[in-house]
Amino acid sequence: MAKYPGTAIEMKAGDVLYSKKSLSTYFVGHVAIVGKSLNVYHAYPYGPGRTEGIDTYVASFANGDTISILRRGDGGTEAGVWAKNHINDIEKYYFNMDLDNVKLNYCSKFVWQAYIYAYNIDISDRNLTLKSRATHIYPDQIRDSSKLSLQGSIKVKK
């Protein structure tokens, strides 16, 4: 089984990768989701939707950055499958507040959508639904989710 770089942690579909606020994340933080094929899927300003192997994903961060590995206790495979199936639906990286809009998307909304569409689970812990309006989902809200637990972290070394 594939492991996260520099760790003994097995990669699993549905894992969420969280990076704190730093120069690498434009000081807002970043989240991505692992798919069934163990590729990493994320909305990105220069993407707009990106599919990368774990090594390429980690290499996009600065030396010394830490990427937290978060996992849903009873699995997240279907969220990873949803992300793979919809990453190319993103047309523009944009902080759109319509939570059901996949075409206009940003990192944390895309990861949130993967879980809400796959399991009807709000991983922001804010009782949001696809019909909720006039709101954003931030990376730290996903990091702090009661529905995900920290498995460990990847320390970026270059």
Side-chain angles (χ1 to χ4, degrees), residues 138-155:
Y138 299 100
D140 59 347
Q141 292 169 332
I142 292 176
R143 175 201 62 204
D144 297 340
S145 175
S146 65
K147 294 161 185 78
L148 301 171
S149 62
L150 180 65
Q151 302 299 299
S153 59
I154 302 164
K155 186 76 166 181

Side-chain angles (χ1 to χ4, degrees), residues 90-92 94 96 98 101-106 109:
I90 302 172
E91 295 177 1
K92 183 177 181 181
Y94 184 74
N96 179 277
D98 294 331
N101 187 326
V102 178
K103 292 180 181 184
L104 301 176
N105 225 320
Y106 54 95
K109 182 173 122 178

Side-chain angles (χ1 to χ4, degrees), residues 58-108:
V58 171
S60 68
F61 292 88
N63 186 45
D65 281 356
T66 300
I67 301 168
S68 298
I69 304 160
L70 305 167
R71 183 173 292 158
R72 183 172 170 237
D74 50 356
T77 300
E78 293 307 313
V81 169
W82 185 92
K84 177 187 179 206
N85 291 339
H86 294 279
I87 191 68
N88 292 322
D89 294 342
I90 302 172
E91 295 177 1
K92 183 177 181 181
Y93 188 87
Y94 184 74
F95 288 94
N96 179 277
M97 293 191 292
D98 294 331
L99 297 182
D100 61 350
N101 187 326
V102 178
K103 292 180 181 184
L104 301 176
N105 225 320
Y106 54 95
C107 69
S108 43

Side-chain angles (χ1 to χ4, degrees), residues 3-19:
K3 309 246 187 253
Y4 288 103
T7 77
I9 303 166
E10 182 181 335
M11 293 181 71
K12 293 191 176 182
D15 284 355
V16 174
L17 305 177
Y18 167 81
S19 305

